[in-house]
Amino acid sequence: MDYVSPGDVVENMIRAGQAKAKLSPKDLIVRGAMAGVFLGYATTLAFTASIQTQMPIIGAILFPVGFVMVILLGLELVTGNFALIPAALLDKKARMSEMLANWFWVLAGHLGGSLLYAWLFVVATTSFGHTAESPMIEQLIKVAESKTLAYKSLGVDGLLTAFIKAILCNWMVALGAIMAMTSKSTFGKIAAMWIPILIFFGQGFEHAVVNMFVIPAGMMAGAQVSLSDWWLWNQIPVLLGNLASGVLMAGLALYYTYKVKGTFASEPHVTSTELKIKNG
Amino acid sequence: MDYVSPGDVVENMIRAGQAKAKLSPKDLIVRGAMAGVFLGYATTLAFTASIQTQMPIIGAILFPVGFVMVILLGLELVTGNFALIPAALLDKKARMSEMLANWFWVLAGHLGGSLLYAWLFVVATTSFGHTAESPMIEQLIKVAESKTLAYKSLGVDGLLTAFIKAILCNWMVALGAIMAMTSKSTFGKIAAMWIPILIFFGQGFEHAVVNMFVIPAGMMAGAQVSLSDWWLWNQIPVLLGNLASGVLMAGLALYYTYKVKGTFASEPHVTSTELKIKNG
Amino acid sequence: MDYVSPGDVVENMIRAGQAKAKLSPKDLIVRGAMAGVFLGYATTLAFTASIQTQMPIIGAILFPVGFVMVILLGLELVTGNFALIPAALLDKKARMSEMLANWFWVLAGHLGGSLLYAWLFVVATTSFGHTAESPMIEQLIKVAESKTLAYKSLGVDGLLTAFIKAILCNWMVALGAIMAMTSKSTFGKIAAMWIPILIFFGQGFEHAVVNMFVIPAGMMAGAQVSLSDWWLWNQIPVLLGNLASGVLMAGLALYYTYKVKGTFASEPHVTSTELKIKNG
Amino acid sequence: MDYVSPGDVVENMIRAGQAKAKLSPKDLIVRGAMAGVFLGYATTLAFTASIQTQMPIIGAILFPVGFVMVILLGLELVTGNFALIPAALLDKKARMSEMLANWFWVLAGHLGGSLLYAWLFVVATTSFGHTAESPMIEQLIKVAESKTLAYKSLGVDGLLTAFIKAILCNWMVALGAIMAMTSKSTFGKIAAMWIPILIFFGQGFEHAVVNMFVIPAGMMAGAQVSLSDWWLWNQIPVLLGNLASGVLMAGLALYYTYKVKGTFASEPHVTSTELKIKNG
Amino acid sequence: MDYVSPGDVVENMIRAGQAKAKLSPKDLIVRGAMAGVFLGYATTLAFTASIQTQMPIIGAILFPVGFVMVILLGLELVTGNFALIPAALLDKKARMSEMLANWFWVLAGHLGGSLLYAWLFVVATTSFGHTAESPMIEQLIKVAESKTLAYKSLGVDGLLTAFIKAILCNWMVALGAIMAMTSKSTFGKIAAMWIPILIFFGQGFEHAVVNMFVIPAGMMAGAQVSLSDWWLWNQIPVLLGNLASGVLMAGLALYYTYKVKGTFASEPHVTSTELKIKNG
């Protein structure tokens, strides 16, 4: 049957981390860009649902659609990789330099894809600026400002709040990537990964990749947010918070309690392609 | 288990593109016509739900029913074929002339099926003209006008807006056809393909095949839209936008990052019938 | 995996049509009666949901429950048989006389079952006439009158409207019976067949078997509809419309495009019992 | 695949009936008591949902949770047994005395479990009588009175109404136990059995086991219903109605049309334990 | 197929109890802490949904997300272990001292994880105290007070009410852990375990682990609840009630009626790791 027990999930985390660490910058950028775009699509769908129903929880119930596309199509998501590659590193299946290269190129892809989708979406929504006001435009502006200026107004406490909301976020998002491994069936994966993504988005925690779309989209739509507001008061503390919980609370916690010594190290060397197939 | 990893999905895209490129005009027209009809049914169901709930997102959640019928019954959808056949072409499994013939005959089928359903639906809804006013009639008229006259009023910016909304649309719809290949199980396919279709319809992006039903249906119901309004300000720019994202952002992007050199070329020649079964 | 490709679906349609053509009148009546009852249950459930939520689409989302019971328990539904047995006939697996006998006895069963459920339901809802008014009673009367007197008031246009609504109905219902064959898994079948049934009921198209319950139930509840109103202005044109689309647009269209010559004719003769098991 | 065709479902009904007929009073009481408790839980959950949403259909959509627990855990439900054991009896796999003993002990278990849950629930809801008024208390009182005094006020017509509502109920509940056998997969079973249970509860038909909880719970909460009101005007006619439709319309109807002569009788004798596993 | 019959479920309960009894304090604390955190996430998600929709049942429908993560990732939940380890004990597969050690360390983990999440969540929600008022803050305070001070005001009757609500809670939660074993498929497990968790949370019964988050979170948010209010009037009676129903009504009841003598004792000794894999 399709259920995968926790011990095997941890082995799969290591293999997935290993395979991801070996990917070329070309693949990392393309897959990271697509992931950025899909999370952008999911965010605007969720905003549409929230605006129409006046209940953001309905938007949150729909938001995981983008994450599901990312995982089922095997794309790269840096916040998931924060949990997977360190597990491979601990198991001596990946090197520190490979891990940092993965994170760098995937982030570059996310930024490019997110900005592309932000431009396309804002242009389509405003008809190239002819429609300056609409509930969606207001929503984009409001969210971009609340995710930056609101923290700025609180100073260090704002930075720390963003950091903690980012910890709370990626404990779940990284587990989303891991929960997808608890099943070998497509719908099993969909259902299992839907859960933590719904949890994080429903409560407004801070996700670095979503923010790479939503803050610049708000800026394009007219939010009074500067480039430094965006990065200093949101993107940087949020990336650090996502990193902290992804590595420690999701990846290493499961590795620590479920990794059985020596069961994997003894297997023959497999190529990155084989791994890609196995880790699907 | 039923999950299909991305590398195998790309192989399946190539095989499906190959099989579709070999189909006769007869099959392309019949299957294209049925697909046009089913998307028409889905559109009127979604409008019904939107009218009753006053929340278009509920209509969008139901809309994928038509797409699911198209894919599960193996019918032809030109916007999906925009992604599948170019992948086969790149892999030397289909010829340019076959691809263009497929698109032409399938579009002809879509147009015929859409107009047939539009006529049947408008006649049934108005009781052969006896009931001239109803929320559904108003909805058809409003949508037909906003999808043509609204763009016309903006001139070139309107054309570009339609083009970009069509890019945003078919990035998702083409991925709908591809996501269906991430599972070998019927419900896995249904769930996976539901996602991108919900995303595009929920946000009002422009889909050429849906528009082949909804604009003429609106015209039959009384919208002040001329034949040239329909084609110049919607159908042509939308087809081009659907084509652009289907080919480049869905088909070639996945081919580029997941196609493993030479793994498929070496297989023995298979007939179109075998392909049809394999690609199910 | 459980997905069944279109070519195999058409083979299964032929086998199912063949098996159904061989059933005895006894089985056709019993299975037709149960099917009539179950669609009656589904109709009153949908009405209950519509009344409480004031959104008929919620009722439509629930309505397929009855159809699912009919198909999973292998019962007979004449509107599905309109598509299945002609396919067997074309393939020389059934005779015209067997087909007509099947339709006759199944219709007799539907009528009996529908009248039985109508009587039980009206008696229970009115407490043997003690409760003459309730939202459900009003709904039954309103629907029965709108499905007969409204057409009558339009004369020939009314007949044609009923006929076209019946075409639009059974294009979907017959595909419901066929979509159930796209999966060999119980839940796959449920999900696949739910779709076209939701589409037809949500839009108020005309289904002969549902009407065999809802019009006489309305008459028992007090609708001013005569026996000839029922049959002349609804049951007969609706049966003809259901027949037209079931045979041509669902059954023969799929047969025409997916039937591979000679693949089935060469198989050894199988008994009706074996067919029953295979076609499940 | 997990779908079970109707002919095999009928064989499974016979085997399940045979196994149930052989169970000891001890097992029948324990399993019947748990089933009574779980239906009580489901009833109060449904009431909670109805009270909060003011739409009883939402409660009905949730109500099958209790039935699913009963069936998946293999517990005993007398209304399901009304269909299963007579099928075994007809097939000479069970004796009349075993059947009556099963029904008696299971009913005893239901009564015990229902009264226990009623006491626990009323005590918890009222904080041992400190909170005498709440929407839930009012709901329990209202339902208990409408299920007894309302029938009493109509005399014989009330008795007959209760009897017919009980026929309408158990046609569905007994089919719930049978629909669960249309799949060998856990979720397939859940989805298939959910359907008829939703149908019956959504329309307020009368189920003897639910009433064993809801009427005494209402009495404990303050309903002006006497012990004889409960049994004479509800429990006895409802049990008879449930019996009639369970035996005739669910069990024997399917047996009559799907049982293939002699296919099962020739199998070697199997023990009750093997049956328990096979019939899961 | 993936369905597991009740007899095998009881064997799996015993094996799971055996494996859990052998785990080291390190694993028990880590897995218990993660479980405490995930139930905290689920509680705040449910509160968010309840606040936005004003219908707590919607929150209850979402609440099982946390439980699903706990079970699919194989973490430790003391209220489930109340049912599983006594079954192993009865079967001589675990010792009393191992059982008590498991409960102690898992509870310690729950308390640590719950307090950590409470602190992170309250700090993020109030922006380190800058935002003292919000619907979520009010909800946390209200719940914490109603789960302690309300019982205190009733004296002994309050204690007994908490105890009975805890019995009603863990009859379901312990069955949640057991229902997950009725399937070997990931989605089958998710659906089966969702049911009893929805039942308990929807009706506001008392769960010791949820309370370890919600009461201290309310206290951090400003509830006028002392440490002794928390433990004396809630945590202790609730733990005892959870224990009573987990051991007796869930674990032992199923063991008593489904355990077949001697079927398991004769198997060769298996290691804890093998058990972990088998019991997945």
Side-chain angles (χ1 to χ4, degrees):
Chain A
M1 262 300 125
D2 69 283
Y3 176 63
V4 180
S5 66
D8 291 337
V9 166
V10 169
E11 294 301 334
N12 285 335
M13 288 168 59
I14 295 167
R15 288 168 201 262
Q18 178 178 11
K20 286 172 181 300
K22 312 298 181 201
L23 288 173
S24 67
K26 175 205 97 173
D27 283 333
L28 295 173
I29 290 173
V30 171
R31 298 181 193 182
M34 293 179 82
V37 170
F38 296 170
L39 293 191
Y41 268 105
T43 304
T44 54
L45 179 76
F47 284 180
T48 303
S50 299
I51 290 169
Q52 290 177 16
T53 63
Q54 292 297 312
M55 290 189 235
I57 194 73
I58 307 294
I61 288 170
L62 295 179
F63 176 77
V65 290
F67 188 82
V68 167
M69 292 180 70
V70 168
I71 298 292
L72 288 188
L73 293 174
L75 303 174
E76 294 293 308
L77 189 66
V78 76
T79 45
N81 292 358
F82 286 164
L84 301 179
I85 308 185
L89 200 72
L90 264 185
D91 225 60
K92 315 237 183 283
K93 299 288 181 308
R95 287 199 305 275
M96 177 66 80
S97 61
E98 291 171 334
M99 182 176 77
L100 295 177
N102 174 288
W103 293 353
F104 177 81
W105 293 115
V106 171
L107 272 169
H110 288 339
L111 190 60
S114 297
L115 290 174
L116 171 63
Y117 182 72
W119 184 79
L120 290 168
F121 183 80
V122 171
V123 153
T125 303
T126 63
S127 301
F128 282 86
H130 290 276
T131 314
E133 283 182 27
S134 73
M136 178 59 78
I137 296 295
E138 284 167 37
Q139 171 84 353
L140 288 173
I141 293 173
K142 190 186 70 182
V143 171
E145 293 182 351
S146 78
K147 279 179 176 294
T148 52
L149 306 186
Y151 294 135
K152 192 182 182 180
S153 72
L154 299 176
V156 175
D157 282 1
L159 277 184
L160 289 174
T161 301
F163 179 73
I164 284 179
K165 284 191 179 179
I167 284 176
L168 287 169
C169 166
N170 207 37
W171 200 335
M172 288 295 112
V173 176
L175 281 172
I178 293 165
M179 292 285 288
M181 296 173 181
T182 61
S183 175
K184 288 177 288 185
S185 146
T186 305
F187 188 66
K189 285 174 176 292
I190 292 175
M193 75 178 104
W194 205 282
I195 284 173
I197 305 306
L198 154 63
I199 292 174
F200 112 74
F201 199 83
Q203 305 191 61
F205 299 141
E206 295 282 351
H207 188 248
V209 187
V210 168
N211 291 355
M212 279 180 182
F213 158 72
V214 80
I215 300 176
M219 290 161 67
M220 294 176 195
Q224 299 300 312
V225 172
S226 70
L227 202 70
S228 65
D229 289 338
W230 169 19
W231 282 87
L232 274 176
W233 296 99
N234 185 295
Q235 212 64 55
I236 290 169
V238 166
L239 258 174
L240 294 175
N242 286 174
L243 180 67
S245 59
V247 173
L248 298 175
M249 290 156 159
L252 298 196
L254 289 175
Y255 184 91
Y256 175 72
T257 186
Y258 284 119
K259 173 63 188 170
V260 180
K261 288 280 177 300
T263 53
F264 180 54
S266 59
E267 290 195 9
H269 187 69
V270 287
T271 69
S272 149
T273 307
E274 288 170 334
L275 281 170
K276 204 158 47 184
I277 288 160
K278 282 191 184 173
N279 292 318
Chain B
M1 261 300 126
D2 69 283
Y3 176 63
V4 180
S5 67
D8 290 338
V9 166
V10 169
E11 293 302 332
N12 285 335
M13 287 168 59
I14 294 167
R15 288 168 201 262
Q18 179 178 8
K20 286 171 181 298
K22 313 298 181 202
L23 287 174
S24 68
K26 176 205 96 173
D27 283 332
L28 295 174
I29 290 173
V30 171
R31 296 181 193 181
M34 293 179 83
V37 170
F38 295 170
L39 293 190
Y41 268 106
T43 305
T44 54
L45 179 75
F47 284 179
T48 303
S50 299
I51 290 169
Q52 289 177 16
T53 63
Q54 292 296 311
M55 290 190 235
I57 194 74
I58 307 294
I61 288 169
L62 294 179
F63 176 77
V65 290
F67 188 82
V68 167
M69 292 181 71
V70 168
I71 297 292
L72 288 188
L73 293 174
L75 303 173
E76 294 293 307
L77 189 66
V78 78
T79 46
N81 292 359
F82 286 164
L84 301 178
I85 308 185
L89 200 72
L90 264 185
D91 226 60
K92 315 234 182 289
K93 299 289 181 307
R95 288 199 305 274
M96 175 69 78
S97 60
E98 291 171 333
M99 181 175 79
L100 295 177
N102 173 288
W103 293 352
F104 178 80
W105 293 116
V106 172
L107 272 169
H110 289 339
L111 190 60
S114 298
L115 290 174
L116 171 62
Y117 182 72
W119 184 78
L120 290 169
F121 183 80
V122 171
V123 152
T125 303
T126 62
S127 302
F128 283 86
H130 290 277
T131 313
E133 283 182 28
S134 73
M136 178 57 78
I137 296 295
E138 285 167 37
Q139 172 84 354
L140 287 173
I141 293 173
K142 190 186 71 182
V143 171
E145 294 181 350
S146 77
K147 279 180 177 292
T148 52
L149 306 184
Y151 295 134
K152 192 182 182 181
S153 72
L154 298 176
V156 175
D157 282 1
L159 276 184
L160 288 174
T161 301
F163 178 73
I164 285 179
K165 284 191 180 178
I167 284 177
L168 288 169
C169 165
N170 208 36
W171 200 336
M172 289 295 112
V173 176
L175 281 172
I178 292 165
M179 293 285 288
M181 296 174 180
T182 61
S183 174
K184 288 178 288 184
S185 147
T186 305
F187 189 66
K189 285 174 177 290
I190 293 175
M193 75 178 106
W194 205 282
I195 283 174
I197 306 306
L198 154 62
I199 291 175
F200 111 74
F201 200 83
Q203 305 191 60
F205 299 141
E206 294 283 351
H207 188 248
V209 188
V210 168
N211 291 355
M212 279 179 182
F213 158 72
V214 81
I215 299 176
M219 290 160 66
M220 293 176 196
Q224 300 300 311
V225 173
S226 70
L227 202 70
S228 65
D229 289 338
W230 169 20
W231 282 87
L232 274 176
W233 296 100
N234 185 293
Q235 212 63 57
I236 289 170
V238 166
L239 257 174
L240 293 174
N242 286 175
L243 179 68
S245 58
V247 173
L248 298 175
M249 290 156 159
L252 298 197
L254 290 175
Y255 184 91
Y256 175 71
T257 185
Y258 285 118
K259 173 62 187 170
V260 180
K261 289 279 178 301
T263 54
F264 179 54
S266 59
E267 291 195 7
H269 186 69
V270 288
T271 70
S272 149
T273 307
E274 288 169 333
L275 281 169
K276 205 158 46 182
I277 289 160
K278 282 191 184 174
N279 292 317
Chain C
M1 262 302 125
D2 69 284
Y3 176 63
V4 180
S5 66
D8 290 339
V9 165
V10 169
E11 293 302 333
N12 285 336
M13 286 167 59
I14 295 166
R15 289 168 201 262
Q18 179 177 8
K20 286 172 181 298
K22 312 298 180 203
L23 289 173
S24 69
K26 175 206 96 172
D27 284 333
L28 295 173
I29 291 173
V30 171
R31 297 180 193 182
M34 292 179 83
V37 170
F38 295 170
L39 293 190
Y41 268 106
T43 304
T44 54
L45 180 75
F47 284 179
T48 304
S50 299
I51 290 168
Q52 289 177 17
T53 63
Q54 292 295 311
M55 290 190 237
I57 194 74
I58 307 295
I61 288 169
L62 295 179
F63 176 77
V65 290
F67 188 82
V68 167
M69 292 180 70
V70 168
I71 298 292
L72 289 187
L73 293 175
L75 303 174
E76 295 293 307
L77 189 65
V78 77
T79 46
N81 291 359
F82 286 165
L84 301 178
I85 308 185
L89 200 71
L90 264 185
D91 226 59
K92 316 234 182 287
K93 299 289 181 306
R95 287 200 305 276
M96 176 68 79
S97 61
E98 291 172 333
M99 181 176 78
L100 295 177
N102 173 288
W103 294 351
F104 178 80
W105 293 115
V106 172
L107 272 170
H110 289 338
L111 190 59
S114 299
L115 291 174
L116 171 62
Y117 182 72
W119 184 79
L120 290 168
F121 184 80
V122 171
V123 152
T125 304
T126 62
S127 302
F128 283 85
H130 290 277
T131 313
E133 284 182 27
S134 74
M136 177 58 78
I137 295 294
E138 285 167 36
Q139 171 84 353
L140 287 173
I141 293 173
K142 191 186 70 182
V143 171
E145 294 182 348
S146 77
K147 278 179 177 293
T148 51
L149 306 185
Y151 295 134
K152 191 182 182 180
S153 72
L154 298 176
V156 175
D157 282 1
L159 276 184
L160 289 174
T161 301
F163 178 74
I164 285 179
K165 284 191 179 178
I167 284 177
L168 287 169
C169 166
N170 208 35
W171 201 334
M172 289 296 110
V173 176
L175 281 172
I178 293 165
M179 292 285 288
M181 295 174 181
T182 62
S183 174
K184 289 178 288 184
S185 146
T186 305
F187 189 66
K189 285 174 177 290
I190 292 176
M193 76 177 105
W194 205 281
I195 283 174
I197 306 307
L198 154 62
I199 291 175
F200 113 75
F201 199 83
Q203 304 191 62
F205 299 141
E206 294 284 351
H207 188 249
V209 188
V210 168
N211 292 354
M212 279 180 183
F213 158 71
V214 81
I215 299 176
M219 291 160 67
M220 293 176 195
Q224 299 300 312
V225 173
S226 71
L227 202 69
S228 65
D229 288 338
W230 168 20
W231 282 87
L232 273 177
W233 295 100
N234 185 293
Q235 212 63 55
I236 290 170
V238 167
L239 257 174
L240 293 175
N242 286 175
L243 179 68
S245 58
V247 173
L248 297 175
M249 289 156 159
L252 298 196
L254 290 175
Y255 184 91
Y256 175 71
T257 186
Y258 285 117
K259 173 63 187 171
V260 181
K261 288 280 177 300
T263 54
F264 179 56
S266 59
E267 292 195 7
H269 187 68
V270 289
T271 69
S272 150
T273 307
E274 288 169 334
L275 282 170
K276 205 158 46 182
I277 288 159
K278 281 190 184 172
N279 293 317
Chain D
M1 262 301 125
D2 68 285
Y3 176 62
V4 180
S5 67
D8 290 339
V9 166
V10 169
E11 292 302 333
N12 285 336
M13 287 168 59
I14 295 166
R15 288 168 202 262
Q18 178 178 9
K20 287 172 181 299
K22 312 298 181 202
L23 289 173
S24 67
K26 175 206 96 174
D27 284 332
L28 295 174
I29 290 173
V30 171
R31 297 180 193 182
M34 292 180 83
V37 170
F38 296 170
L39 293 191
Y41 268 106
T43 304
T44 54
L45 180 74
F47 284 179
T48 303
S50 299
I51 290 168
Q52 289 178 17
T53 63
Q54 292 296 311
M55 291 188 235
I57 194 74
I58 307 294
I61 288 169
L62 295 179
F63 176 77
V65 291
F67 189 82
V68 168
M69 291 180 71
V70 168
I71 298 292
L72 289 188
L73 294 174
L75 303 174
E76 294 293 308
L77 189 66
V78 77
T79 46
N81 292 359
F82 285 164
L84 301 178
I85 308 185
L89 200 71
L90 264 184
D91 225 59
K92 317 235 181 285
K93 299 288 181 307
R95 288 199 306 274
M96 175 68 79
S97 60
E98 291 171 333
M99 181 175 79
L100 295 177
N102 173 289
W103 293 353
F104 177 80
W105 294 115
V106 172
L107 271 169
H110 289 338
L111 190 60
S114 299
L115 291 174
L116 170 63
Y117 182 72
W119 184 79
L120 289 168
F121 184 80
V122 171
V123 152
T125 303
T126 62
S127 302
F128 282 85
H130 290 276
T131 313
E133 284 182 27
S134 73
M136 178 58 79
I137 296 294
E138 284 167 37
Q139 171 84 354
L140 287 174
I141 292 173
K142 190 186 72 183
V143 171
E145 293 182 351
S146 76
K147 278 178 178 292
T148 52
L149 305 186
Y151 295 133
K152 191 183 183 180
S153 72
L154 299 176
V156 175
D157 282 0
L159 276 184
L160 288 173
T161 301
F163 178 74
I164 285 179
K165 284 191 179 178
I167 284 178
L168 287 169
C169 166
N170 208 36
W171 200 336
M172 288 295 111
V173 175
L175 281 171
I178 293 165
M179 292 285 289
M181 295 174 180
T182 62
S183 174
K184 288 177 288 184
S185 146
T186 305
F187 188 66
K189 285 174 177 290
I190 293 175
M193 75 177 104
W194 204 282
I195 283 173
I197 305 307
L198 155 62
I199 292 174
F200 112 75
F201 199 82
Q203 304 191 61
F205 299 140
E206 294 283 351
H207 188 248
V209 188
V210 168
N211 292 354
M212 279 180 181
F213 159 71
V214 81
I215 300 176
M219 290 161 66
M220 294 176 194
Q224 299 301 311
V225 173
S226 71
L227 202 69
S228 65
D229 289 338
W230 168 21
W231 282 86
L232 274 177
W233 295 99
N234 185 293
Q235 212 63 56
I236 289 169
V238 166
L239 258 173
L240 294 176
N242 287 174
L243 179 67
S245 58
V247 172
L248 297 176
M249 290 156 159
L252 298 196
L254 289 174
Y255 184 92
Y256 175 71
T257 186
Y258 284 119
K259 173 63 187 170
V260 181
K261 288 282 176 298
T263 54
F264 180 56
S266 58
E267 292 195 7
H269 187 68
V270 289
T271 69
S272 149
T273 307
E274 287 168 335
L275 282 170
K276 204 157 49 183
I277 289 160
K278 282 190 184 173
N279 293 318
Chain E
M1 262 300 124
D2 69 284
Y3 175 63
V4 180
S5 66
D8 291 338
V9 166
V10 168
E11 293 302 332
N12 285 336
M13 288 168 59
I14 294 166
R15 288 167 202 261
Q18 178 178 10
K20 286 172 182 299
K22 312 299 181 202
L23 288 174
S24 67
K26 175 205 97 173
D27 285 332
L28 295 174
I29 290 173
V30 171
R31 297 181 193 182
M34 291 179 83
V37 170
F38 295 170
L39 293 190
Y41 268 105
T43 304
T44 55
L45 179 75
F47 283 0
T48 303
S50 299
I51 290 168
Q52 289 177 17
T53 63
Q54 293 296 313
M55 290 189 236
I57 194 74
I58 307 295
I61 288 169
L62 295 178
F63 176 77
V65 291
F67 188 82
V68 167
M69 292 180 71
V70 168
I71 298 292
L72 289 187
L73 293 174
L75 304 173
E76 295 292 309
L77 189 65
V78 77
T79 46
N81 291 359
F82 286 164
L84 301 178
I85 308 185
L89 200 72
L90 264 185
D91 226 60
K92 316 235 183 286
K93 299 289 181 307
R95 288 198 305 275
M96 176 68 80
S97 61
E98 291 171 333
M99 181 175 78
L100 295 177
N102 173 289
W103 294 352
F104 178 80
W105 293 115
V106 171
L107 272 170
H110 289 338
L111 190 59
S114 299
L115 290 174
L116 171 62
Y117 182 72
W119 184 79
L120 290 168
F121 183 79
V122 171
V123 152
T125 303
T126 62
S127 301
F128 282 85
H130 291 276
T131 313
E133 281 182 29
S134 73
M136 178 58 79
I137 296 294
E138 284 167 36
Q139 171 84 354
L140 288 173
I141 293 173
K142 189 186 72 182
V143 171
E145 293 182 350
S146 77
K147 278 178 177 295
T148 52
L149 307 185
Y151 294 134
K152 192 183 183 180
S153 72
L154 298 177
V156 175
D157 282 0
L159 277 184
L160 288 175
T161 301
F163 179 73
I164 284 180
K165 284 191 180 180
I167 284 177
L168 287 169
C169 166
N170 208 38
W171 200 335
M172 288 295 112
V173 176
L175 281 172
I178 293 165
M179 292 285 288
M181 295 174 181
T182 61
S183 174
K184 288 178 288 184
S185 146
T186 305
F187 188 66
K189 285 174 177 290
I190 292 176
M193 75 177 103
W194 205 283
I195 284 174
I197 305 307
L198 154 62
I199 292 175
F200 111 75
F201 199 83
Q203 305 191 61
F205 299 140
E206 295 283 352
H207 188 248
V209 188
V210 168
N211 292 354
M212 280 179 181
F213 158 71
V214 81
I215 300 176
M219 290 161 67
M220 294 176 196
Q224 300 301 312
V225 173
S226 71
L227 201 71
S228 66
D229 289 337
W230 168 19
W231 282 86
L232 274 176
W233 296 99
N234 185 295
Q235 212 62 56
I236 290 169
V238 167
L239 258 174
L240 294 175
N242 287 174
L243 179 67
S245 58
V247 173
L248 297 176
M249 290 156 159
L252 298 197
L254 289 175
Y255 185 91
Y256 175 71
T257 185
Y258 285 118
K259 173 63 187 169
V260 181
K261 288 281 178 299
T263 53
F264 179 55
S266 60
E267 293 195 7
H269 187 68
V270 287
T271 69
S272 150
T273 307
E274 288 169 335
L275 281 171
K276 203 158 48 183
I277 288 158
K278 282 190 184 172
N279 293 318

